[in-house]
Amino acid sequence: MAVWFTSILAIVITLFTQVLGSGVFELELHHFQNSQGLLANGQSCGMGGCRTFFTVCLKNFQTEVSRGDCVFGSVTTPVLGTDSFSIQQDARLRLPLKYTWPGAFSLIIEAWFSPEADPPEGSTRPDSLISSFSIQRQLSTGHDWSEEAQSGARAALRFSYRLICQENYYGDTCSKICAPRDDHFGHYTCRPDGERACVAGWKGDYCDEPICLEGCNEKNGNCTLPGECNCRKGWQGLFCDVCKPHPLCKHGTCEDKWQCTCTEGWGGMYCDQDLNYCTHHKPCANGATCLNTGHGSYTCACLPGFTGVNCESAVRECDRRPCHNGGRCLDSDSGYQCACPKGFEGPRCEHKMLTCAEMPCFHGGTCRETDNGHNYLCECPAGYTGLNCEKRTDRCTVLQCANGGHCVSHGGVRLCSCRSGFSGPRCEVNVDECASGPCANGSTCIDRINDYSCTCPPGTTGRRCDRPADPCAARPCLNGGTCTVGAQGRPACACPAPYDGPQCQSAHLDPAPRDGMSLAAVSLGVGAVAALLLLCMVAVAVRRVRRQRSQQRDSEKMNNVSKADFQKENLISASELKNTNKMIDSVDCPSNKSNHKPLNHYQLDYKTRSGYKDEPSVLDKEENCEKPMEKTKQFSKTYSERPECQISTICSSRDSMYQSVFVIEEEKNECIIATEV
């Protein structure tokens, strides 16, 4: 409210001063010179001389000064002297301004003749004028005087002037007010430019806001005098930065005002409930365990033989007659025991014992009584186990897989999942990776668990020995000799002079150099090598053309075989035939195989002599990769000997690009697999 009132007051004062003004125009007349003692019209003032007084007119700025309304004020002096005279300093003239000082002015000073010592009324008749002086100037406020010297036709005048602001007014126009004060409405002094300068300890536009103690929390504290820090409700401390807990808080702290954060072991809205009553009071007796339940309460877990809120009373368990079905109760240190009659069991004799009369065995199990009829034993049929033959045995326990394979049950069928490199119903067959003849150029193939290796003959290299070896790679030629490949793939060295030998290892001295003969020999050798290379290229081209023609004839022969002949030869009807053509070259036969291969694409179910049925046969995917015709026939023959499954193999040229697998299912869950190679 005080700030609002102060602002309104300042605005009113400002507007008021702009209308009325607050400056003072001061004028000092120093010396007047009228040597002849004449009036402006040339007449003489008389025997007593020209007794002189002055009139001053301050008005707005005019380019050509003219007499008229004195806007800013006017003043008339008493008689100051006769003819020529100097004026004392105490004759200073002051013209208070009624309006805001515009910065520019016009000044008219006139000297008049007074017949008497005091100028009478109406003494400024035109015929009494001695002289008139006028100026137009720009003038700023300040305490410095501006001096002027004016000369007329008959007289001269020296004077000075200035414009100063009245007390508490500042600025070029004396319209800015600043009154020092030290009260409820402000605490400040005034600078030379009229701006307020706050007294130490105060701040704000009107210096009415105290500066609180340094470090005082502005959010939680305030002050009415400089250097204070008065805390708001809910806060305390020198700087009002410490919260106050709720007045009803008993065992708690706070992080904000009026909080009540309970310390450990206390709870409730005001932290007045003992949550750790057991530790503080230990109410349970006779070795009982005390448990805090919160809100200042607890419970006691009594040992056997004691009861009560604090387990203070001893009890006899048998008094409650806990034994059922005629059981006899016996007290003990740990509580009680029930001696059950025949045919009942349990801690309280609450369970009736089963005998063979109740037929407790499931799934056709045979019941046999034990312990003189107090107990029984179930003899379970094959495939079931458990106390009452209620559990089905794991079917995989009777299927033993070899070579690291493991048994899986899929849709009620037991299967052996084989490791890479093995196949067969029980993973007992080691797949021969050499059967497909992967090694070329007469190299020897060595079968491994899940891979093969080729022992290459001289002159070949690579994983399959299918690339010719470079005999010159070992650099057999010494002393700068040039290595070339001979007709049989052996290296030959062309030795520079004076070296010779198979590897240019010997040096000889030729007394008579024969450069012409050496050059001829080198030329002859180069020509022979070029001819040999040309013959080799022709031979390779002829062989490749013959192979392509042979493959075309085999393909045409294979395509001419009719489907009817195939069905007749293998005794398979057209409706039962399922043909799946696979391109051999696109079959992926990875070398790095996982420990177990995926389930096979087909299963062979047959009965074994051991008595269980539906035993699967698992064939690896890798058996169809580059497998020779003889191995395929032998494998098919092995399975065709079983009465439930037959495998028929149709053989064609090994160069055929496709193979067909025919899977035939018969009504007796038997399968016939025909493979077209």
Side-chain angles (χ1 to χ4, degrees):
M1 184 66 181
V3 175
W4 178 82
F5 178 76
T6 303
S7 301
I8 296 299
L9 180 61
I11 294 173
V12 172
I13 293 175
T14 301
L15 295 176
F16 181 76
T17 54
Q18 286 182 349
V19 175
L20 299 181
S22 56
V24 177
F25 186 87
E26 293 184 344
L27 176 65
E28 288 186 354
L29 303 176
H30 300 299
H31 183 76
F32 181 69
Q33 182 70 33
N34 186 6
S35 302
Q36 298 178 359
L38 300 177
L39 298 173
N41 55 15
Q43 296 181 2
S44 175
C45 294
M47 295 299 293
C50 294
R51 287 186 287 273
T52 306
F53 68 93
F54 299 90
T55 61
V56 179
C57 179
L58 184 65
K59 59 189 307 184
N60 56 296
F61 181 85
Q62 293 177 326
T63 305
E64 295 182 2
V65 181
S66 62
R67 301 184 67 180
D69 187 18
C70 300
V71 178
F72 294 140
S74 62
V75 64
T76 301
T77 68
V79 175
L80 299 179
T82 302
D83 295 336
S84 297
F85 54 88
S86 294
I87 305 171
Q88 299 298 325
Q89 294 294 332
D90 55 357
R92 182 179 301 176
L93 304 178
R94 295 172 59 88
L95 281 79
L97 302 179
K98 298 180 181 180
Y99 305 101
T100 299
W101 177 246
F105 68 97
S106 297
L107 179 65
I108 302 174
I109 303 176
E110 293 178 335
W112 297 88
F113 167 65
S114 175
E116 301 176 358
D118 293 326
E121 293 293 335
S123 58
T124 57
R125 298 190 308 272
D127 56 355
S128 299
L129 180 63
I130 299 175
S131 183
S132 179
F133 310 95
S134 63
I135 60 173
Q136 312 102 313
R137 297 287 186 271
Q138 290 282 345
L139 181 61
S140 298
T141 60
H143 293 276
D144 297 333
W145 292 89
S146 298
E147 295 185 358
E148 292 285 346
Q150 296 287 325
S151 298
R154 308 247 180 224
L157 178 64
R158 256 187 330 107
F159 61 93
S160 60
Y161 58 89
R162 67 180 180 181
L163 180 69
I164 61 174
C165 297
Q166 293 185 6
E167 186 180 6
N168 300 329
Y169 290 91
Y170 301 87
D172 293 337
T173 60
C174 296
S175 59
K176 189 171 185 179
I177 186 172
C178 178
R181 65 189 314 157
D182 188 10
D183 53 21
H184 181 72
F185 297 103
H187 307 270
Y188 56 85
T189 59
C190 298
R191 297 192 183 98
D193 57 355
E195 294 293 334
R196 286 180 289 271
C198 295
V199 178
W202 297 90
K203 62 180 180 177
D205 294 338
Y206 296 95
C207 304
D208 54 351
E209 301 177 16
I211 299 176
C212 299
L213 177 66
E214 184 178 359
C216 183
N217 192 309
E218 296 182 358
K219 181 180 178 181
N220 305 330
N222 55 20
C223 58
T224 57
L225 294 176
E228 290 182 345
C229 188
N230 301 323
C231 298
R232 292 184 173 90
K233 292 184 178 180
W235 298 95
Q236 60 185 348
L238 178 62
F239 303 110
C240 301
D241 54 355
V242 179
C243 62
K244 283 185 177 181
H246 194 277
L248 299 180
C249 188
K250 298 298 183 181
H251 303 278
T253 59
C254 65
E255 294 181 359
D256 201 356
K257 62 179 181 179
W258 309 134
Q259 283 185 342
C260 188
T261 303
C262 299
T263 57
E264 185 178 359
W266 295 92
M269 180 177 295
Y270 302 115
C271 303
D272 54 351
Q273 297 178 1
D274 191 354
L275 301 182
N276 198 6
Y277 194 90
C278 292
T279 302
H280 296 158
H281 302 280
K282 298 180 180 179
C284 301
N286 296 313
T289 302
C290 183
L291 301 175
N292 292 299
T293 58
H295 306 291
S297 59
Y298 66 95
T299 183
C300 294
C302 302
L303 293 176
F306 297 94
T307 186
V309 176
N310 297 327
C311 303
E312 70 279 5
S313 303
V315 298
R316 295 175 57 86
E317 294 291 342
C318 290
D319 293 343
R320 296 183 298 164
R321 298 181 179 180
C323 302
H324 302 288
N325 298 311
R328 185 165 54 90
C329 182
L330 302 175
D331 288 312
S332 64
D333 295 336
S334 59
Y336 67 95
Q337 290 183 351
C338 290
C340 301
K342 181 178 180 180
F344 295 93
E345 61 181 355
R348 298 182 181 181
C349 305
E350 69 273 17
H351 300 303
K352 184 177 181 181
M353 298 177 59
L354 294 177
T355 61
C356 289
E358 283 79 19
M359 294 184 294
C361 301
F362 299 99
H363 300 107
T366 302
C367 183
R368 183 167 56 86
E369 293 184 350
T370 59
D371 296 339
N372 296 325
H374 288 80
N375 206 343
Y376 67 94
L377 178 66
C378 289
E379 296 178 353
C380 302
Y384 296 94
T385 184
L387 179 63
N388 298 316
C389 304
E390 73 278 5
K391 299 180 181 179
R392 185 184 297 272
T393 59
D394 185 4
R395 302 187 68 183
C396 273
T397 56
V398 298
L399 179 59
Q400 301 297 327
C401 301
N403 295 314
H406 66 277
C407 176
V408 296
S409 180
H410 183 70
V413 179
R414 293 162 293 171
L415 304 173
C416 279
S417 178
C418 301
R419 293 174 52 201
S420 299
F422 296 95
S423 64
R426 299 191 181 186
C427 307
E428 72 279 4
V429 179
N430 182 10
V431 177
D432 186 6
E433 282 80 10
C434 290
S436 60
C439 300
N441 295 317
S443 57
T444 303
C445 180
I446 301 176
D447 181 36
R448 301 187 184 278
I449 296 299
N450 191 23
D451 199 1
Y452 67 91
S453 62
C454 297
T455 304
C456 302
T460 61
T461 185
R463 173 175 170 78
R464 301 177 59 188
C465 304
D466 52 354
R467 292 186 283 113
D470 185 6
C472 291
R475 297 181 179 179
C477 301
L478 306 177
N479 299 314
T482 303
C483 179
T484 58
V485 181
Q488 297 181 355
R490 296 180 179 179
C493 296
C495 304
Y499 298 98
D500 60 0
Q503 297 180 349
C504 304
Q505 72 276 13
S506 302
H508 64 85
L509 299 177
D510 191 354
R514 294 173 290 180
D515 296 338
M517 295 180 64
S518 299
L519 180 59
V522 171
S523 301
L524 182 60
V526 172
V529 171
L532 181 60
L533 291 176
L534 181 59
L535 290 175
C536 290
M537 293 174 62
V538 172
V540 171
V542 171
R543 183 178 180 184
R544 187 171 294 177
V545 170
R546 290 179 178 177
R547 180 178 296 176
Q548 290 178 354
R549 290 179 178 176
S550 177
Q551 291 178 354
Q552 291 177 357
R553 288 195 300 271
D554 293 341
S555 178
E556 292 175 356
K557 184 178 179 181
M558 182 63 188
N559 292 333
N560 291 332
V561 177
S562 64
K563 186 175 181 180
D565 295 337
F566 172 76
Q567 295 175 353
K568 181 178 180 181
E569 181 180 353
N570 294 277
L571 300 178
I572 303 172
S573 63
S575 61
E576 298 171 342
L577 184 60
K578 298 180 181 178
N579 188 1
T580 302
N581 293 328
K582 298 182 180 179
M583 190 172 182
I584 296 178
D585 294 338
S586 64
V587 174
D588 184 12
C589 298
S591 59
N592 297 325
K593 301 177 181 178
S594 61
N595 293 332
H596 295 86
K597 299 190 297 184
L599 297 180
N600 299 310
H601 298 291
Y602 58 90
Q603 303 168 354
L604 301 177
D605 298 339
Y606 60 91
K607 297 180 179 179
T608 62
R609 296 179 181 179
S610 60
Y612 63 88
K613 64 179 181 178
D614 297 336
E615 183 172 351
S617 174
V618 182
L619 299 180
D620 295 336
K621 178 180 179 182
E622 288 75 10
E623 294 180 2
N624 294 327
C625 297
E626 300 180 1
K627 180 177 293 185
M629 179 176 61
E630 292 79 7
K631 185 67 178 181
T632 305
K633 289 182 178 180
Q634 181 179 359
F635 186 85
S636 302
K637 184 178 179 181
T638 302
Y639 286 92
S640 63
E641 292 176 357
R642 301 178 187 270
E644 290 80 12
C645 183
Q646 298 179 4
I647 302 176
S648 178
T649 305
I650 302 175
C651 301
S652 64
S653 174
R654 290 181 60 183
D655 296 331
S656 177
M657 298 176 63
Y658 296 88
Q659 67 176 356
S660 300
V661 178
F662 302 90
V663 182
I664 301 93
E665 297 180 358
E666 295 184 0
E667 296 179 355
K668 297 180 179 180
N669 294 329
E670 300 176 354
C671 67
I672 300 177
I673 300 178
T675 304
E676 179 183 350
V677 181

